[in-house]
Structure formats: structure tokens, C-alpha cells
Amino acid sequence: MTAAEPKVTVDLARGLGLTADEYDHIIRRLGREPRYTELGLFSALWSEHCAYKHSKTFLHRLPQHGPHVLQGPGENAGALDIGDGWAVVFKIESHNHPSFIEPFQGAATGVGGILRDIFTMGARPIALLDSLRFGDPADPRTRRLVEGVVSGISWYGNCFGCPTVGGEMAFAPEYAGNPLVNVMCVGLVRTDRIFRARAERVGSAVFYVGNKTGRDGIHGATMASAAFDEHAEERRPTVQVGDPFTEKLLLEACLEAMAAGAVAGIQDMGAAGLACCTSEMPARSGTGMDVELARVPQREPGMTPYEILLSESQERMLLVAAPGREDDVRRIFAKWDLDAVEIGRVTAGPDLVIRLNGEPVACVPVPALAEAPRYEPPFAPPRGLGELHAFDPLSLPAPADYDDALVGLLGSPTIARKEWAYRQYDQQVGINTLVRPGSDAAVLRVKGTRRAIAVTTDGNGRHVVLDPRRGGALAVCEAARNVACAGARPLGVTDCLNFGSPERPEVLWQFAEAVEGIAAACRALGLPVVGGNVSFYNETSGQAILPTPVVGVVGLLEDAAQHATQWFKGEGHRIALLGPGEVSLGGSEYLWARHGRLAGRLARQDLEVERRVQAAVQAAVGAGLVTAAHDCAEGGLAVALAECCVSGPARVGAEASVGAAPRADHALFGEGPSRVVVAVEPGRVREFEALMAESAIPWGWIGGTGGERLRLNVGGVAVVDVALDRIEQAWRNGLERHLA
Amino acid sequence: MRFGVVVFPGTWSDCDFHYVISEVLHQPVKYVWHRDRELADFDCLVLPGGFSYGDYLRAGAVAGRSPVVEALPAFVAGGGVVLGSCNGFQILCEAGLLPGALMRNECLQYRCQSTHLLVENAETVFTRATRPGQVLAMPISHGEGKYHVDAETLAALRRRNQIVFRYCTPEGQVTRAANPNGSLDNIAGVVNEEGTVLGLMPHPERAAESALGGTDGLVIFHSLLGSLVEDGSFLKR
Amino acid sequence: MRFRVLVRLKRGILDVQGAAVQRSLAGLGFGDVRELRIGKLVEVDVDEATPAAARARVDEMCRRLLANPILEDYTIEEIEGERLAAREPVR
């Protein structure tokens, strides 16, 4: 090494993001002062991102077990058994901060990271979904972010060759300084071919595979530290740059090496790069590792051990070879023009030994790195919540013209059709996509079987800020309901929990409550949470985002042919509304889009009714009794019906009536849980009614399809009567109009 | 009919073509690695979609100079036929096996959407099972699909009937609105002078099963198989 | 020997990227931009005995891969005594 290392002090540790207490903790654990490189290892492994210091205690509340679970949290991704020898592997992850700094590359590398998490499990990725949140599109900075993020996702996913089949995009001013980019990936693997991030057998060769290591993504805190400045000849950008082509080669090489039996364990070099892999893999297996950094393929000259260990260069993996199969690893990666270099060995442990040209630069017990301190700081509800709850939305004036109110809502950026984004995404590569973006859930077939899976993501920050517990539960319920509307049985959950700083008591309270809500809903619906991600510190100058848990659900259809979509298929079908009647304008999209208010109370929720409604919809779709099924979400019943009319290949009109209500806007635009609109052909009405009776859920007929208009009556009074053409114009062009 | 599906680093429609040829059409099919030059085992080679070599320099540029592509003229001269879709079309143009070039879409964005194709030439081995003026529905998925040739070559293409498909409305009108990428003259697919190499931007393999939204893409394969059965016209070996 | 290859769309071929950037600049108050073209810059370091041989080699690279003769033309410039990597980026 050329330049002298900075002297290790408590101040340096602080500069790297550790607290004084944590620094003392490290000294006690090692029985000495850490060396500079060792401090770097601790700073990375004990960061919130890697160690879940503030969230672990709460996350244990989430149910993680169930009959289908093949792999729960703690690996690269979770896995569920879907029958016929197949497993579905899936996970959602955030890339919020990088996307704000550089929207195109930030979003692109977010896609790259989650793809690697899936194929390190041995699964071939078959679908991507993106859950995005942005500030007000009237702000030109927001428009630039939207364009950058969407084109970054498009570029990486399309070039790699995995279809993007779903997700959401919502807008609220609270996200202006902290957009959310959450990406979910779903893959398929034979149940007996799942790979794990382990380093089991002592003596096994450890390979570095993929792209070379540069200075990208080295922790920003490092760059800012004064001690480091003196020796840094040139500042490097910390933005990581994605290479989807190399990722595609890495996918093929990994799957080929796995199929050949040459791989014993494998992990993606994601956050904290090589430092993370070399400590987490042995930590899971109770072993150690001895690694030579001089062998790591490097893109830039003069990198220090610290930089090599903490680099977040993309498209790299750490692979433990099966005994005696080292040459096969080299041969297969060479075939795909990729580096595969043996950089060390698995040892009996407990130490992780890092060397440079044979000289140890770090020697740390693996368990010390893996066992970061946990924090349970105080938490308390934010002040002012009572006032928000006390607000009565009906104190605001009712719309003078309900046609205009509905059309305005349909054209609002959050509700308007998202084709502008998803036409930039390949939705079909792999030829599995039976239902493309634009319905409640995407449906993909499982080739070689009669089965299909349905996938979706959901999350509503406005609901969560008003009532984190109920909001968290609603996110799970709505995602599962979307999957049920496609005809699938929800099987499992992955969650991405986006919050502000956990060091603020009110944020931690929101987090704790939301996790309780998610856990309660998952227990009620029998859904295990098999993986996910926590993203804290989403705030700028003290302004936190709306607390936004995003929930991804995977469901199973035994018969791929028996799936449903949300749009009406023809005239003369009867329309039913399933689920309870109670709705609220509190926290609704209508209240925000029309009145700019975020206040009120959410409608009550009965998780047992939710479960029964989902089972009823799924049974009705499975029996072929309904021609359309659509969840009532943002914008309430009126928006759901309008979408049923115009989101399909051909427009179909409808007329519907609901009973007397406090006010028509409450009835039409109010939001409530467990509500689904379905359409039934006249010949199947009897059977449908019998099934509903058996399901023991609240439900009723509300109208029928036909004509060229949408007509809505409340308490016997005609309130809305709009031509479909007007509805379609507003809804189809709304997003582009806002982004123009 | 013996099909080969060519795999370049970065190809991703290879598995889809393989699946359609073997599971839908029940024809023998093998993958062909980009370094292979030995093509005697095949009657038809498919160059599938994807981002060969990341398309980092230009779409199809590097793959257009690969060993398997260098072996294509001899393969075609010996009676073989070649079908290039999406990136495959870009590669064939870059290699000079088809006239013209494919540029960035006029909207500057990637486009994945359904398109309609007007059959301009129903006489090729790839379109014999169609009739002139027939409209086929097939999706596109590309960022660089805007076809370009100079005026002289365009005139020659028209004269020799080398333009096979043009983007059109569902009713068969060739309009600007039906053109998804700004292609010259709405051109979606062309053949070489001999009619033995077809390149098109749309994805016939994604329109091969009704469950996935249509089967119009199969007509290209049925034409090929029919040509083989009827007179073996392109099988001179 | 180091060369800088500039690959641009031929005159007469619509440069959609260039047109879009020109429009954006006009929106920022740069309405006086008369023409704007976007191209690709390729920097090559070749090991040849003479400058003429090196230039010929680069020219061959352009013809065979770096430029598409249907769409693009190119210029080759020799970079004298300047280390490519050491150039200070503007900004």
C-alpha cells in the first residue's frame, strides 16, 4: 500500500457513520483498537442498511412460516412451493436514494440488484414490478425524475431480457425530495435446485465472478471524511453505473454453473460489496474466510483494501465452488466472457482474514461483524394526529357537477392510466405473460404445467400516515385482493418498508404500527412474509416521506386458463359489488386531488370479511362465473367502474346504483377495504348467487353493462352520466398531460 | 424442417423461438452458438431478438461481424433460409445481408406494443401462407427500429418487391399514426433479392399462441413449412 | 498512438436526438442555436510502427465496425502527447 492509512479514532468512526458507543463496542469485541480496514468493515456491516439495527426487533412480528415456504427471510430472496416441482422465488427492494441522485442509473441499478438476488437462488427471473412514488408532477424536477427513473428501468430490464409486468406510480408532494423506487423480481426454479448464500465446507475455493471492481458507490461518508480527503488525489463520483449486458451474461453463466453442479453457495455483491459477502456467507454457515484482495479484478489502479472491500460496483458475485469443480467454474464463466478468479478459501473460522499481497489487513471474528447492536429507541405517536382524525370531509362543499368530479379524478396523475410508462417496458419476453400491465394483477403461466402465478404490488402512504396500523394491513389486503381478482390464491408476501428517520420517535412509531398491521393482515390471510427490505432515512431537511410500506404478493392459479381481467367484456352482463358498504373520504385520493386535503379517518376493516371476500372472488373466477373482477381502490366505486368500462380492448358502458348515503361524493369516491366489482353473464347469475350465499359475505347487485355511457345513481338520484369517450380521454391521457 | 436458433451474448428471444418451434410447431430445433460456423445441420436459421453485446456500439453491430454471421452467405447460397426478428433484423442489416439500417425510434423511447402488419409480398417462402393485403397482428419491442435506406435503394426494393411487411392500422391502412417508430415508408420487414433472408422488427414468436393474445406470427412458420412440403423450393441441397 | 474518432450521422439523415436537444435548449432560452448534431466519440490507442500505419489501422476499424456506412460518417484525429485519461473534465 502506498498512501498511509488514516489514524483510527472515534472521530473517524463517527465520520464513517458509527456511534461512539458502537466504536467502544468494537474495541471490546476485538480486545484492541480496530485497524482502518477493519473499521471500514464494521461501518458497512453495522450500517442500518445491512444490519437492520432499528427494525429487527419489529420485523420478528411478521409471520414467516407456512406450508408453502421453502425459504424465508435471511437469504438472497424468499421461495414458495407452487406445485409440480416448481418454486417461485421473489423479493422487493428499494433504490430510493441512488435514484434521487441519478434517476436513470439509480433506477437501473435497482433493477440489476434485485435481478441478481433472484438468480443467485438458482431461479430464472420471469417478471419485474416497480412501485414508484414521486412529488407533484407540476414541478419540472419531478418530471425529470419520472422520465429518468422510467427510462432507467426500461433500459436495464429490456436489455437484460426480463419483462416488466406491473407495479404502481403515485404522486404526492411528500415524495418531492425523496422519490421511492422499489423493484420486485419474481423467478422460477425447480424446488430441488434452490441455491443459498452459504460457505459451508472448509477448504472450498471462493471465486469472485462478474464485472471488475472500481470505486463506484463507496460510501459517501468516506468521501466526506477529512482524514480521507488529504490522500484522495481525485474525488470519484459515488454513483454506480449499471451494465445490463454483463448482468445477462452473469445470469446465464451462473445458471449454467449451477446446473453443472459446480456451485456450492453464491451471493450477490450488493450493498457493501465484497465486505458484505465475505462476512455474511461464512456467518450463515458458522465458518470463516481467508481472502486475498490483490487477486480481485480491478478496473482502476491504486485502490486501497478499504475501497476494494466497500466498492459497490455492479454485476458481481461471490461464489463458493463445489469441491473439485474449480475448473468447471472457470470454464463456464470464460465461455460467457466473464472474470472468475479464485480469491480465497473457506476456513474453519471464526475469523474473516483479508490480505493484501499476503499481509493481513483485517482479521475480525465473523460473528462480530454479523451481530450488530440492536436499538429500541423510544417511539410515540406524532402530535396532531387527533386533529387530522377529527376532520370531517363532508364539511367541504359537494361537487356542483359530478361528471366533472369523476373525470377530473380519472385524469389525476395517480389514477390515470400508466401506459406512458409501461409501453417503454418489454412486457412479454419469455412468452409467459397472460395478463399484461393494466389490470389488478399480472398473470404469468408456468410453462410445462397447467399453472400460472399472479403478481402485484400495492401501498398507499396517505392511508398509512393517518393510521399506520390499519394502513399497513390495508396494503397487504389490497395487494392480496388484486391477486384474488385475477383468480389466484395469494401465497406469500414480500415487503419494502419506506420510512423517514427511525431516530425520530414518531417515525419509529409509524414503523412499529405499520409492521403490526402488516403482521395482523398476513396472519388473518394466512400469508407468510418471506423476504423484503427496510428503507429508513427517506427525508430531506426534516421533511419525511409519507410512511410507505409497499407490499408485493404472489398468488397461484391451478388452471392458467381460468384467470380474470378488470375490464367489462360485453353488454348485458350484471354487475355486483362484493364486500362491506362502509367507506370513508378520509385519506382518499378524491380528498387530495379535489380539495388538496390529507385528513380524516379510514374506514373500518374486518380482516375475516376480507379473507372471505378474497376467497369468494377467487372461487368465482376459478369457476368461470365472472367475466370481469376489479378491486375498488383509489377513487372508490366510481373510479373502479369507470376503469372497468374503458381499460379493455373495447369500451363497454354501464349503469349502477347504490343506496342512500350521507352525500353522493362519499358513496362514489369514498374508499373502503374488501370491496370488489364483478360482472356476471345472465346465464351464470344463479350459480353466482349460490356461490356468494355459500361464501357468507356482504354483497349485492348494483347494475349492468351496456351502452356508450357510464351512469351512476345514489339513493335513487342520477348523479353521474358521462360519455365513455370523455372518460377514456381523461384517463388515458391524464399522465402524459401532467408530464408534458 | 430443421431449425437452428442462434444465440449471441445478450440474446433473449432465443428460448421463446425454441419453445414455439418445438412445443407449438413440433419441429426439430437446436441452439447455435455465435462462434459456430458449421451450419450444415439446418434448413432454417433464426436470429432472435435481444441486445447482442448490449447493443452498446450500435444495435447488432458487433454480432453482425461474428463467426456464425460470417458463415451465413454460404449457408444461404447452399439453399438455407434465414429469419431475423428484432435484434436479428438489426444484425442482418449490419452484416450487409439485408439492405438498410435500423435507427433509434423517432419518439426516442423504447416501444413495447401491438402492431399490425400489411403483407406487401405474399410470394416469399416466409409469406406464402398469406394473401397480399392481409393484416397480421404482431407485437414489437425495441428502441431502435426505425428503418432507413437511401432513395435509390428504396426504389430498388419496391421494384424488386423486397418490402414484405409495412405497419398499418387494424383495417390495413398504412398511416403515420400506425407507424410505431418512424420507419421510412412504414417498412417493418424486408427480404434480400433472392427472397431467402427475411428481417422484421416485430416478434412472430410472441404471436404464436392464442392464450398470449394471437397466432398471426405462426403464418411465417407455416409458410416455411408449406414451402418445404410443396416443392422444397429453397432446399436445393 | 492515440486517435480520436468522431462518428456522426451523415448530412441529410434526421438526427432525432440532436433535434430533441435543440428543442430543449430553445426552451431554456437558447433559441439562437442554428444547428446541433449528436455523435459518438471513440478514443483509440494503437500500437503501430508509423503514424501512417496507425491511422490506416484506425480507418479500417471505422470501416469494419465503428461506423455504419449506411447512416454515419467519421473523422479521425490524432491526439498528440496528451494522455487521454488525464484530461480534466469540464465542470
Side-chain angles (χ1 to χ4, degrees), chain C residues 11-44:
Chain C
R11 290 269 166 198
I13 290 182
L14 176 66
D15 175 7
V16 279
Q17 273 176 287
V21 171
Q22 193 172 346
R23 277 195 303 276
S24 308
L25 283 173
L28 293 171
F30 298 98
D32 47 342
V33 175
R34 276 220 302 254
E35 195 192 3
L36 187 155
R37 294 169 73 201
I38 288 182
K40 269 184 223 136
L41 185 69
V42 185
E43 291 180 329
V44 201

mmCIF file of all heavy atoms in Angstrom, chain C residues 11-44:
data_model
loop_
_atom_site.group_PDB
_atom_site.id
_atom_site.type_symbol
_atom_site.label_atom_id
_atom_site.label_comp_id
_atom_site.label_asym_id
_atom_site.label_seq_id
_atom_site.Cartn_x
_atom_site.Cartn_y
_atom_site.Cartn_z
ATOM 1 N N ARG C 11 -24.894 13.868 -43.198
ATOM 2 C CA ARG C 11 -25.726 15.013 -43.555
ATOM 3 C C ARG C 11 -26.977 14.497 -44.279
ATOM 4 O O ARG C 11 -26.872 13.618 -45.126
ATOM 5 C CB ARG C 11 -24.977 15.929 -44.515
ATOM 6 C CG ARG C 11 -23.827 16.656 -43.862
ATOM 7 C CD ARG C 11 -24.313 17.981 -43.323
ATOM 8 N NE ARG C 11 -23.294 18.540 -42.411
ATOM 9 C CZ ARG C 11 -23.563 19.486 -41.534
ATOM 10 N NH1 ARG C 11 -24.789 19.965 -41.421
ATOM 11 N NH2 ARG C 11 -22.629 19.940 -40.751
ATOM 12 N N GLY C 12 -28.115 15.043 -43.929
ATOM 13 C CA GLY C 12 -29.336 14.652 -44.630
ATOM 14 C C GLY C 12 -30.108 13.576 -43.894
ATOM 15 O O GLY C 12 -31.272 13.329 -44.179
ATOM 16 N N ILE C 13 -29.470 12.908 -42.926
ATOM 17 C CA ILE C 13 -30.214 11.919 -42.139
ATOM 18 C C ILE C 13 -30.679 12.594 -40.857
ATOM 19 O O ILE C 13 -29.887 13.242 -40.172
ATOM 20 C CB ILE C 13 -29.344 10.688 -41.848
ATOM 21 C CG1 ILE C 13 -29.157 9.931 -43.171
ATOM 22 C CG2 ILE C 13 -29.997 9.791 -40.810
ATOM 23 C CD1 ILE C 13 -28.366 8.671 -43.050
ATOM 24 N N LEU C 14 -31.955 12.497 -40.587
ATOM 25 C CA LEU C 14 -32.533 13.209 -39.447
ATOM 26 C C LEU C 14 -31.908 12.730 -38.139
ATOM 27 O O LEU C 14 -31.923 11.545 -37.822
ATOM 28 C CB LEU C 14 -34.046 12.988 -39.420
ATOM 29 C CG LEU C 14 -34.765 13.614 -38.212
ATOM 30 C CD1 LEU C 14 -34.675 15.124 -38.257
ATOM 31 C CD2 LEU C 14 -36.209 13.157 -38.164
ATOM 32 N N ASP C 15 -31.373 13.650 -37.391
ATOM 33 C CA ASP C 15 -30.760 13.341 -36.093
ATOM 34 C C ASP C 15 -31.804 13.645 -35.021
ATOM 35 O O ASP C 15 -31.916 14.773 -34.555
ATOM 36 C CB ASP C 15 -29.500 14.204 -35.938
ATOM 37 C CG ASP C 15 -28.855 14.049 -34.569
ATOM 38 O OD1 ASP C 15 -29.300 13.181 -33.794
ATOM 39 O OD2 ASP C 15 -27.903 14.794 -34.291
ATOM 40 N N VAL C 16 -32.595 12.619 -34.646
ATOM 41 C CA VAL C 16 -33.714 12.866 -33.721
ATOM 42 C C VAL C 16 -33.223 13.291 -32.343
ATOM 43 O O VAL C 16 -33.814 14.143 -31.699
ATOM 44 C CB VAL C 16 -34.652 11.638 -33.595
ATOM 45 C CG1 VAL C 16 -35.613 11.599 -34.750
ATOM 46 C CG2 VAL C 16 -33.892 10.362 -33.460
ATOM 47 N N GLN C 17 -32.118 12.708 -31.902
ATOM 48 C CA GLN C 17 -31.577 13.105 -30.596
ATOM 49 C C GLN C 17 -31.136 14.567 -30.630
ATOM 50 O O GLN C 17 -31.439 15.337 -29.728
ATOM 51 C CB GLN C 17 -30.346 12.265 -30.258
ATOM 52 C CG GLN C 17 -30.635 10.978 -29.569
ATOM 53 C CD GLN C 17 -29.335 10.221 -29.381
ATOM 54 O OE1 GLN C 17 -28.780 9.696 -30.332
ATOM 55 N NE2 GLN C 17 -28.831 10.185 -28.180
ATOM 56 N N GLY C 18 -30.425 14.923 -31.690
ATOM 57 C CA GLY C 18 -29.959 16.290 -31.826
ATOM 58 C C GLY C 18 -31.129 17.263 -31.869
ATOM 59 O O GLY C 18 -31.103 18.313 -31.214
ATOM 60 N N ALA C 19 -32.169 16.901 -32.616
ATOM 61 C CA ALA C 19 -33.336 17.777 -32.728
ATOM 62 C C ALA C 19 -33.990 17.956 -31.361
ATOM 63 O O ALA C 19 -34.407 19.054 -30.993
ATOM 64 C CB ALA C 19 -34.324 17.194 -33.740
ATOM 65 N N ALA C 20 -34.066 16.860 -30.583
ATOM 66 C CA ALA C 20 -34.704 16.938 -29.263
ATOM 67 C C ALA C 20 -33.888 17.827 -28.333
ATOM 68 O O ALA C 20 -34.440 18.637 -27.589
ATOM 69 C CB ALA C 20 -34.860 15.539 -28.678
ATOM 70 N N VAL C 21 -32.570 17.693 -28.392
ATOM 71 C CA VAL C 21 -31.720 18.516 -27.525
ATOM 72 C C VAL C 21 -31.817 19.988 -27.944
ATOM 73 O O VAL C 21 -31.884 20.887 -27.109
ATOM 74 C CB VAL C 21 -30.268 18.012 -27.574
ATOM 75 C CG1 VAL C 21 -29.333 18.979 -26.862
ATOM 76 C CG2 VAL C 21 -30.178 16.634 -26.943
ATOM 77 N N GLN C 22 -31.893 20.220 -29.249
ATOM 78 C CA GLN C 22 -32.021 21.597 -29.731
ATOM 79 C C GLN C 22 -33.323 22.222 -29.219
ATOM 80 O O GLN C 22 -33.346 23.366 -28.779
ATOM 81 C CB GLN C 22 -31.979 21.610 -31.257
ATOM 82 C CG GLN C 22 -31.798 23.012 -31.807
ATOM 83 C CD GLN C 22 -31.560 23.011 -33.317
ATOM 84 O OE1 GLN C 22 -31.272 21.982 -33.916
ATOM 85 N NE2 GLN C 22 -31.688 24.183 -33.926
ATOM 86 N N ARG C 23 -34.394 21.446 -29.248
ATOM 87 C CA ARG C 23 -35.680 21.941 -28.734
ATOM 88 C C ARG C 23 -35.583 22.257 -27.239
ATOM 89 O O ARG C 23 -36.072 23.274 -26.772
ATOM 90 C CB ARG C 23 -36.792 20.897 -28.956
ATOM 91 C CG ARG C 23 -37.405 20.944 -30.356
ATOM 92 C CD ARG C 23 -38.734 20.160 -30.381
ATOM 93 N NE ARG C 23 -38.597 18.767 -29.951
ATOM 94 C CZ ARG C 23 -38.215 17.782 -30.754
ATOM 95 N NH1 ARG C 23 -37.926 18.022 -32.027
ATOM 96 N NH2 ARG C 23 -38.125 16.545 -30.294
ATOM 97 N N SER C 24 -34.936 21.354 -26.495
ATOM 98 C CA SER C 24 -34.800 21.581 -25.052
ATOM 99 C C SER C 24 -33.997 22.840 -24.780
ATOM 100 O O SER C 24 -34.330 23.626 -23.900
ATOM 101 C CB SER C 24 -34.099 20.411 -24.373
ATOM 102 O OG SER C 24 -34.724 19.219 -24.724
ATOM 103 N N LEU C 25 -32.924 23.042 -25.559
ATOM 104 C CA LEU C 25 -32.109 24.239 -25.372
ATOM 105 C C LEU C 25 -32.929 25.490 -25.664
ATOM 106 O O LEU C 25 -32.842 26.488 -24.945
ATOM 107 C CB LEU C 25 -30.884 24.184 -26.285
ATOM 108 C CG LEU C 25 -29.750 23.267 -25.822
ATOM 109 C CD1 LEU C 25 -28.682 23.179 -26.899
ATOM 110 C CD2 LEU C 25 -29.139 23.770 -24.521
ATOM 111 N N ALA C 26 -33.754 25.432 -26.722
ATOM 112 C CA ALA C 26 -34.604 26.573 -27.052
ATOM 113 C C ALA C 26 -35.513 26.895 -25.878
ATOM 114 O O ALA C 26 -35.726 28.059 -25.538
ATOM 115 C CB ALA C 26 -35.406 26.287 -28.315
ATOM 116 N N GLY C 27 -36.005 25.828 -25.225
ATOM 117 C CA GLY C 27 -36.878 26.014 -24.067
ATOM 118 C C GLY C 27 -36.154 26.681 -22.894
ATOM 119 O O GLY C 27 -36.766 27.327 -22.059
ATOM 120 N N LEU C 28 -34.826 26.516 -22.864
ATOM 121 C CA LEU C 28 -34.035 27.129 -21.786
ATOM 122 C C LEU C 28 -33.513 28.508 -22.189
ATOM 123 O O LEU C 28 -32.682 29.078 -21.499
ATOM 124 C CB LEU C 28 -32.852 26.213 -21.429
ATOM 125 C CG LEU C 28 -33.224 24.871 -20.785
ATOM 126 C CD1 LEU C 28 -31.989 23.971 -20.681
ATOM 127 C CD2 LEU C 28 -33.816 25.080 -19.399
ATOM 128 N N GLY C 29 -33.980 28.986 -23.318
ATOM 129 C CA GLY C 29 -33.579 30.329 -23.729
ATOM 130 C C GLY C 29 -32.462 30.359 -24.763
ATOM 131 O O GLY C 29 -31.980 31.425 -25.134
ATOM 132 N N PHE C 30 -32.041 29.164 -25.232
ATOM 133 C CA PHE C 30 -31.006 29.129 -26.262
ATOM 134 C C PHE C 30 -31.649 28.980 -27.646
ATOM 135 O O PHE C 30 -31.371 28.035 -28.378
ATOM 136 C CB PHE C 30 -30.021 27.987 -26.020
ATOM 137 C CG PHE C 30 -29.268 28.120 -24.721
ATOM 138 C CD1 PHE C 30 -29.672 27.431 -23.583
ATOM 139 C CD2 PHE C 30 -28.161 28.953 -24.637
ATOM 140 C CE1 PHE C 30 -28.980 27.553 -22.392
ATOM 141 C CE2 PHE C 30 -27.468 29.080 -23.440
ATOM 142 C CZ PHE C 30 -27.872 28.393 -22.317
ATOM 143 N N GLY C 31 -32.523 29.918 -27.959
ATOM 144 C CA GLY C 31 -33.227 29.851 -29.241
ATOM 145 C C GLY C 31 -32.314 30.183 -30.407
ATOM 146 O O GLY C 31 -32.676 29.994 -31.568
ATOM 147 N N ASP C 32 -31.119 30.680 -30.104
ATOM 148 C CA ASP C 32 -30.207 31.075 -31.174
ATOM 149 C C ASP C 32 -29.377 29.912 -31.710
ATOM 150 O O ASP C 32 -28.515 30.103 -32.555
ATOM 151 C CB ASP C 32 -29.277 32.185 -30.648
ATOM 152 C CG ASP C 32 -28.695 31.826 -29.280
ATOM 153 O OD1 ASP C 32 -29.258 30.924 -28.618
ATOM 154 O OD2 ASP C 32 -27.680 32.425 -28.879
ATOM 155 N N VAL C 33 -29.630 28.694 -31.220
ATOM 156 C CA VAL C 33 -28.887 27.536 -31.741
ATOM 157 C C VAL C 33 -29.376 27.248 -33.156
ATOM 158 O O VAL C 33 -30.542 26.934 -33.366
ATOM 159 C CB VAL C 33 -29.099 26.293 -30.852
ATOM 160 C CG1 VAL C 33 -28.430 25.084 -31.473
ATOM 161 C CG2 VAL C 33 -28.569 26.540 -29.456
ATOM 162 N N ARG C 34 -28.476 27.374 -34.128
ATOM 163 C CA ARG C 34 -28.888 27.169 -35.515
ATOM 164 C C ARG C 34 -28.894 25.692 -35.888
ATOM 165 O O ARG C 34 -29.741 25.207 -36.603
ATOM 166 C CB ARG C 34 -27.938 27.932 -36.453
ATOM 167 C CG ARG C 34 -28.331 29.402 -36.628
ATOM 168 C CD ARG C 34 -28.135 29.815 -38.082
ATOM 169 N NE ARG C 34 -26.749 29.606 -38.485
ATOM 170 C CZ ARG C 34 -25.870 30.601 -38.655
ATOM 171 N NH1 ARG C 34 -26.261 31.841 -38.499
ATOM 172 N NH2 ARG C 34 -24.652 30.343 -39.008
ATOM 173 N N GLU C 35 -27.902 24.998 -35.406
ATOM 174 C CA GLU C 35 -27.838 23.576 -35.727
ATOM 175 C C GLU C 35 -27.148 22.858 -34.582
ATOM 176 O O GLU C 35 -26.263 23.426 -33.927
ATOM 177 C CB GLU C 35 -27.042 23.348 -37.009
ATOM 178 C CG GLU C 35 -27.259 21.951 -37.568
ATOM 179 C CD GLU C 35 -26.270 21.594 -38.666
ATOM 180 O OE1 GLU C 35 -25.381 22.396 -38.965
ATOM 181 O OE2 GLU C 35 -26.394 20.469 -39.195
ATOM 182 N N LEU C 36 -27.575 21.622 -34.314
ATOM 183 C CA LEU C 36 -26.953 20.848 -33.252
ATOM 184 C C LEU C 36 -26.957 19.393 -33.700
ATOM 185 O O LEU C 36 -27.984 18.870 -34.134
ATOM 186 C CB LEU C 36 -27.766 21.024 -31.971
ATOM 187 C CG LEU C 36 -27.208 20.433 -30.671
ATOM 188 C CD1 LEU C 36 -27.766 21.194 -29.486
ATOM 189 C CD2 LEU C 36 -27.532 18.962 -30.520
ATOM 190 N N ARG C 37 -25.820 18.764 -33.623
ATOM 191 C CA ARG C 37 -25.762 17.343 -34.011
ATOM 192 C C ARG C 37 -25.104 16.554 -32.889
ATOM 193 O O ARG C 37 -24.169 17.015 -32.247
ATOM 194 C CB ARG C 37 -24.971 17.167 -35.305
ATOM 195 C CG ARG C 37 -25.673 17.818 -36.484
ATOM 196 C CD ARG C 37 -24.749 17.871 -37.675
ATOM 197 N NE ARG C 37 -24.581 16.552 -38.264
ATOM 198 C CZ ARG C 37 -23.555 16.230 -39.042
ATOM 199 N NH1 ARG C 37 -22.597 17.094 -39.282
ATOM 200 N NH2 ARG C 37 -23.464 15.008 -39.557
ATOM 201 N N ILE C 38 -25.599 15.344 -32.698
ATOM 202 C CA ILE C 38 -25.024 14.476 -31.667
ATOM 203 C C ILE C 38 -24.286 13.343 -32.349
ATOM 204 O O ILE C 38 -24.767 12.792 -33.348
ATOM 205 C CB ILE C 38 -26.142 13.949 -30.733
ATOM 206 C CG1 ILE C 38 -26.629 15.114 -29.859
ATOM 207 C CG2 ILE C 38 -25.640 12.792 -29.869
ATOM 208 C CD1 ILE C 38 -27.675 14.738 -28.860
ATOM 209 N N GLY C 39 -23.134 13.044 -31.817
ATOM 210 C CA GLY C 39 -22.370 11.943 -32.393
ATOM 211 C C GLY C 39 -21.735 11.109 -31.295
ATOM 212 O O GLY C 39 -22.038 11.290 -30.119
ATOM 213 N N LYS C 40 -20.887 10.196 -31.719
ATOM 214 C CA LYS C 40 -20.180 9.353 -30.750
ATOM 215 C C LYS C 40 -18.701 9.625 -30.839
ATOM 216 O O LYS C 40 -18.156 9.766 -31.939
ATOM 217 C CB LYS C 40 -20.390 7.874 -31.107
ATOM 218 C CG LYS C 40 -21.577 7.251 -30.456
ATOM 219 C CD LYS C 40 -21.626 5.770 -30.817
ATOM 220 C CE LYS C 40 -23.039 5.400 -31.139
ATOM 221 N NZ LYS C 40 -23.227 4.578 -32.289
ATOM 222 N N LEU C 41 -18.058 9.683 -29.691
ATOM 223 C CA LEU C 41 -16.624 9.890 -29.660
ATOM 224 C C LEU C 41 -15.964 8.586 -29.228
ATOM 225 O O LEU C 41 -16.321 8.012 -28.205
ATOM 226 C CB LEU C 41 -16.306 10.998 -28.654
ATOM 227 C CG LEU C 41 -14.849 11.412 -28.585
ATOM 228 C CD1 LEU C 41 -14.451 12.136 -29.865
ATOM 229 C CD2 LEU C 41 -14.635 12.330 -27.392
ATOM 230 N N VAL C 42 -15.029 8.111 -30.047
ATOM 231 C CA VAL C 42 -14.312 6.888 -29.693
ATOM 232 C C VAL C 42 -12.828 7.229 -29.593
ATOM 233 O O VAL C 42 -12.262 7.764 -30.539
ATOM 234 C CB VAL C 42 -14.519 5.796 -30.770
ATOM 235 C CG1 VAL C 42 -13.881 4.488 -30.357
ATOM 236 C CG2 VAL C 42 -15.999 5.605 -31.070
ATOM 237 N N GLU C 43 -12.227 6.994 -28.451
ATOM 238 C CA GLU C 43 -10.789 7.240 -28.314
ATOM 239 C C GLU C 43 -10.049 5.909 -28.362
ATOM 240 O O GLU C 43 -10.405 4.982 -27.650
ATOM 241 C CB GLU C 43 -10.504 7.997 -27.001
ATOM 242 C CG GLU C 43 -11.047 9.423 -27.070
ATOM 243 C CD GLU C 43 -10.810 10.239 -25.814
ATOM 244 O OE1 GLU C 43 -10.779 9.664 -24.720
ATOM 245 O OE2 GLU C 43 -10.676 11.452 -25.938
ATOM 246 N N VAL C 44 -9.063 5.835 -29.267
ATOM 247 C CA VAL C 44 -8.353 4.568 -29.502
ATOM 248 C C VAL C 44 -6.854 4.768 -29.325
ATOM 249 O O VAL C 44 -6.312 5.769 -29.778
ATOM 250 C CB VAL C 44 -8.574 4.069 -30.959
ATOM 251 C CG1 VAL C 44 -8.302 2.585 -31.057
ATOM 252 C CG2 VAL C 44 -9.955 4.392 -31.458
#
